[in-house]
Amino acid sequence: MDAPLVCVVDDDDAVRLSIGLLIETLGLPVRSFASALDVLEDSEVLARAHCLVLDVRMPGLSGVGLQERLVRLAHTAPIIFVSGHGDVPMAVEAMRIGAMDFMEKPFNPDRMTELAKRATQ
């Protein structure tokens, strides 16, 4: 069986790389995407994803918009949101729809790795 796959979706290259490298330290494979639409177009990755780390605000489809589409597709992988511009109503909505957690940037690396471990077990 393949190791649980984590998908990182963030339009900021540096943040996407940073989160991906951090999660790889757990021995987990990571696939990174610059947009929510890119991940939706990769059905193979979506089928293998055990966890998604999503930026809330991205050009085009937002992280919460991606979450809503995944819910409609009956995709049940846990979602961890990260945001540099989040607010309470946004966090409440994400959690109401089923997000595992909502973290503000800059996020605590230890918290991120703990959440990723829990999500992929």
Side-chain angles (χ1 to χ4, degrees), residues 2-24:
D2 291 331
L5 178 67
V6 177
C7 292
V8 177
V9 186
D10 197 306
D11 61 315
D12 183 314
D13 295 339
V15 172
R16 194 171 58 248
L17 178 63
S18 173
I19 294 171
L21 290 172
L22 180 64
I23 291 172
E24 285 176 346

Side-chain angles (χ1 to χ4, degrees), residues 35-70:
S35 80
L37 292 175
D38 289 344
V39 73
L40 281 173
E41 292 173 358
D42 196 329
S43 58
E44 180 183 326
V45 166
L46 278 177
R48 289 188 50 223
H50 282 72
C51 174
L52 293 100
V53 180
L54 306 179
D55 185 13
V56 172
R57 294 184 194 237
M58 295 180 282
L61 185 62
S62 71
V64 175
L66 174 57
Q67 179 190 29
E68 290 169 344
R69 288 194 187 186
L70 293 172

